[in-house]
Each structure stands twice: as C-alpha cells, then as structure tokens.
Amino acid sequence: MFETDDKVKCVAAYCRVSTDKTDQANSLESQQQFFGEYIKRNPLWELYDIYVDDGISGTNTKKRASFNQMIDDAKNGKFDLIITKEISRFARNILDSIGYTRELKALGIGVIFLNDSINTLDADAEMRLAFLSTMAQEESRKTSERVKWGLRRQMEKGVVLGRDMLGYDVRDGQLIINEEGAETVRLIYHKFLDEGKGTHRIAKELREEGVKTSTRMKDWSYTVILRILRNEKYCGDLVQQKTYTPDYLTHQKKRNYGELETVTIKNHHEPIISRERFEAVQRELERRKPSESTVKAFANRYALSGKIVCGECGAGFVRRQKKRKNGTMNVKWVCAESQKNGGKHKEKDGTAVGCTTNSVSDRDIKEILKIVVADTMLSRTNIINTLLQTVESVVKSVSNNDNIAHFQSKIAKCEDKKKKLLDMCLNGYIEAKEYRETCDDLAYQITDLEQKLIKEKSNHQILADKEKIIADIKEYVTAISTGEEWNDSFYRNIVDRIVVYKGRKIDIHLKMIPEKWQGKILAGTREIEAQEREKCSCVSSKPISVSRPLSSG
C-alpha cells in the first residue's frame, strides 16, 4: 500500500524499546525479526540495516546513538526509505517527529509508520503525523506523571531510591551498613571534630594513607569530605527528592532548591554516627564558615594574591611562609598543583597530575616589580611631572583663612539675631512662643556652623605648611615610581598578572600598559638577570638591569 513506483529501494528499519519488558510483541528480537522478514517479502525493497536502540527513552534523541547514526547515514544517501513500527517508537516528541521527517523528506527519504499507516512522502502525511505525535507526546507526559507519583509514594514509605554510598549498601530499598566504608566515615568525623582538621587536610591524609573510596568516588577531595560531613544519612535520617526532573522531554535533573517539598524520615535506618555527634559537626562547620567580608579580605590579603599563575599547568600560586632558625621569615609563592600533588607524574589510572614549576621568593618578585615599574616610569616622566604639578596647584589653591572667617562671621550674625529677638520679646513685639521657636532654629544653625568651623580649622592646621606637604607628596610618588619603595595598594592595582615558568623564568603584565617584561631569577648567583622587555608589536626590546643581589627563594 506504500509503493507508487517499480524502482528497487534500499530500506532501513528502526526499532526501539525503552523498558526491560520481555513481552515478545515489543522485544527487540521480535522487532528485528519482523522487519527482516517484512522487507524480504517486498520484491522492490532491499534491506540496508536495522538500527536498534535498547532501553532508551523516545522523548528526545540526544542519547539514541543508533537513531542519530541512522539520520547521518540518510544524509549520506545510504538508503532511500525508513520503516518503523509506530510513531511512539520513532519519537514521542512532536518537534522531533515533524523536524526529522521534514529533514528526511527534503532528502527524498520517506518514513513509513506501519501501525499508523503513514508514509511521510504522502501529501497529507504531516497533518496526520502531527496529530498522532501530539497524542504520543501526551501519553509520555501522563506516563511521566504516573512514574513521579509512584516514586513519591515509595519515598513516603521509606524506600531508598538512591545507589550505594560510602558506608551503606542499598539492598531492596533499604540502607545496610557496609562496615569497611563505615569505618572510613567514622575516621573522617574523628579527624574533623576531635582533631580539629580541615577538609583539605583530611582529604590529603586519606590520599596519602591510601584509604579506599566508594565505587563512585574518583579520589578524595575537600568537596567529597564536605558532602560526607553534611550527609544526614550517617545519623540515621533519610531525605529524598533532593533532585527533580522539571521537563519530561529533556529528562535533565536539577537540584531541588525548594521547588518541590523533600521527603524527610527521621531515624529511618541504623546510623553510623550518633545524632549528637552529627549535630556537633554541623555546628562546627557553621563556626568555621568564613563570612563574606573575610573571604574578600583573604582574597586581597596580599598585594599579589591571585595574580601569580603557573605557565606550565595554569594553576595559581599560593603564598607560604616559614620561620628560619635566625628568627626571620622565609616567604615564597608556590604552584598550588605542585604543592598538592608534587612533581609532574601519572597516577595509577593514567591521570597526569603535579607540576615541575619551582617556587619563587616573595622578595625576588617584589624586587623585579620595582625594577619594572621604575623602567616603565622612566619613559613616562611627563606623566609623573604633570601629576605632581596638578597636586601642587591644587594644594596651593586651597585658602587657609577665607572659610574660617566666613563661618565665624555667620556664627556672629546668628548670635546677634538671638539678642535682638530677646529684646523684641521683652518689649512685647513678639510672642514668647514665636521667640522660642525662632531661637531653637538659630541654635541649630549655630551648632552646624560651629562643626564646620572646627573642621575648617583642622584643615587649616594641616595646610599650614603647604611647601612641606607638596615636598612629601613628591617624595612619596617618586619613591614608588622609581621602585625605591614598596606599596601594597599601588602594586595590587597596577599588576595584572605574573606568569612563572619552569626554570624560574617569569613574564610580568601590568594593567593598561601594552608591554610585557621577561626576567629570570638565577638561584646560583643570587641576582636577577632581566632579559628583555617586549612590546605588544614584538618589534623592540630593552634590557633591565639590577644593582643589588637578591635571594633565590
């Protein structure tokens, strides 16, 4: 009933099941056998291939590998026709049904839905396909709602729907303690609560001790430790519906942040950690939690915090300090990846970790930066001179006495008005009520003027020696711009990033300055060999010299 010409066509078949039912009518084996025989019975058809997706939902095509392969083969002209059992096998999403059949029709390839008696090459096929696809999509929506309802009822009954986790195995919907994993959980709680260790430290110790992770964990990390410390299952409680699927077509899960009510059952199973101990850990986690202001302060604690990166692995550098025997501090910046995992090597699973970049001394970095800034400002003397001239003109333009005299005059006038008001009141020219209201207003004006006068006198004292102020400003600006003095705020704002490479080579980038400086710290000779400065155009370079020796860090 589907053929209109006598040309032999190359035919592909598509079949899919989304459940593990053994019903012979819906089994993949029976579908494949049916299509093979069905195509052989037609003398004008020649089987190209049967595409099969097993246990995959039809509401979207992203995870249907065979379906996507079939579409690719169709685009490459490998067959002329597709046959499938019904629309719901092909797609339960109306957009996919219409979209793919239109795309195939444009290529001259029809899709035959046997049970629905539709050939997409027919004139009225799209209208019938849209109607039946809508019904199939609605059926999927209803099925999704039924499944969600059923899962919710199971949650309320205490059936565990999750998978095995560290310390627990899930058997027939129940959490059963796995003693080997439970010992690790107790160890983590002990290290955190009794020994006062942080999550990073605990993760590092577990890695070093070779403690086994659960089957779903790749390795110990501070985030894994945090999840274990916060997981209410370890004190015997069960909270489910922490995730949900908002769209039955995409099947994408989302974290439940209050969109749906969670299902909570207290004392659901045997605990690994006592409730008192679990709650103590939650209080300790809250106590150790840094405030927002603390996080910001820590991020900008040092002038170069967050600005030094490793040119080999891309990790940031962290500041470390250690007290020497003579009482002085050895401060250096270390590649975070190198500190965490040591030198560059491969783990047992073949993952490359670690880094070979050496640490650099905080003192060396600062000395190099002062040289760079001095070199930068050397060619920008006009900028510095203009700045100092502006400062000088502003300071000299400030009047020492005009404002003081102004405020003193206004206060005297207010006091004079008060005396006149008193005379008018005593002579009966104004009522006592009017006198008091006006006096209160004048008293408020006098208080405000006196505060301004005090502030102005303070400024007058500061500006008494304008020449000394101008000289101090010039000295300070010159000291910073020539690299003679270090100022955290100045360097925090001018440094964009510092890239450290293997062999203690560094690149320095400053903000709003289109130049890059390259230097090398020579540990053996305890000096800096500044090699070159490259402009963005990479057409010129200029050596940077340093006159005093530096430590190697």
Side-chain angles (χ1 to χ4, degrees), residues 368 371-372 374-376 378 515-520 528-535 540-546:
I368 293 174
I371 294 169
V372 166
D375 183 73
T376 304
L378 191 64
E515 298 172 0
K516 178 181 72 173
W517 285 261
Q518 293 184 333
K520 182 177 181 181
I528 295 177
E529 180 188 48
Q531 297 178 321
E532 63 183 65
R533 182 186 72 177
E534 295 179 354
K535 296 193 175 181
S540 65
S541 63
K542 179 181 177 182
I544 308 169
S545 62
V546 62

Side-chain angles (χ1 to χ4, degrees), residues 62-277:
K62 286 183 180 178
K63 295 183 179 180
R64 289 198 276 162
S66 290
F67 181 90
N68 293 326
Q69 184 62 52
M70 178 180 70
I71 298 299
D72 287 342
D73 290 346
K75 291 177 181 178
N76 291 324
K78 294 185 177 180
F79 49 80
D80 309 300
L81 185 69
I82 297 172
I83 61 171
T84 187
K85 186 179 178 186
E86 55 194 0
I87 293 172
S88 62
R89 297 297 95 194
F90 190 78
R92 291 196 177 194
N93 178 331
I94 186 171
L95 293 177
D96 284 345
S97 296
I98 300 298
Y100 281 109
T101 53
R102 277 183 180 176
E103 187 177 356
L104 291 166
K105 186 175 181 180
L107 297 170
I109 299 173
V111 181
I112 293 176
F113 301 97
L114 298 177
N115 290 2
D116 303 302
S117 299
I118 293 176
N119 184 338
T120 57
L121 296 179
D122 293 342
D124 64 342
E126 187 166 303
M127 181 186 69
R128 290 190 291 141
L129 180 64
F131 175 73
L132 293 174
S133 294
T134 303
M135 291 180 62
Q137 184 170 316
E138 181 62 14
E139 181 187 343
S140 290
R141 187 192 65 79
K142 289 179 179 177
T143 301
S144 175
E145 292 299 322
R146 287 195 297 270
V147 170
K148 286 181 181 177
W149 187 89
L151 292 175
R152 185 80 181 185
R153 300 292 81 78
Q154 284 186 292
M155 291 179 190
E156 290 169 352
K157 291 177 183 177
V159 177
V160 180
L161 302 178
R163 296 175 287 184
D164 294 353
M165 57 185 286
L166 184 70
Y168 286 110
D169 295 330
V170 178
R171 298 290 179 268
D172 299 323
Q174 297 297 318
L175 287 170
I176 309 299
I177 288 181
N178 177 315
E179 199 51 48
E180 183 182 3
E183 279 302 311
T184 303
V185 173
R186 295 186 191 104
L187 176 64
I188 290 169
Y189 275 72
H190 169 73
K191 285 177 179 289
F192 182 81
L193 193 59
D194 302 327
E195 296 182 359
K197 294 175 180 176
T199 53
H200 286 274
R201 175 84 177 274
I202 295 170
K204 183 181 178 183
E205 289 183 358
L206 294 179
R207 288 196 301 268
E208 290 173 349
E209 294 165 11
V211 177
K212 227 174 123 185
T213 62
S214 69
T215 53
R216 290 169 56 213
M217 286 183 204
K218 187 175 181 180
D219 200 358
W220 294 111
S221 66
Y222 80 95
T223 54
V224 169
I225 302 299
L226 271 176
R227 283 200 297 268
I228 292 170
L229 292 172
R230 288 175 176 160
N231 197 326
E232 73 289 333
K233 289 186 179 71
Y234 292 120
C235 72
D237 294 345
L238 179 67
V239 178
Q240 297 196 103
Q241 197 73 77
K242 291 180 180 179
T243 61
Y244 71 107
T245 307
D247 190 343
Y248 71 96
L249 294 174
T250 63
H251 298 285
Q252 290 181 346
K253 285 189 176 184
K254 288 190 175 181
R255 188 76 181 174
N256 183 7
Y257 291 108
E259 291 84 356
L260 296 176
E261 186 180 354
T262 57
V263 178
T264 303
I265 302 176
K266 295 281 188 182
N267 302 313
H268 170 269
H269 51 272
E270 184 182 353
I272 293 174
I273 304 296
S274 69
R275 187 172 299 280
E276 295 74 22
R277 195 165 175 76

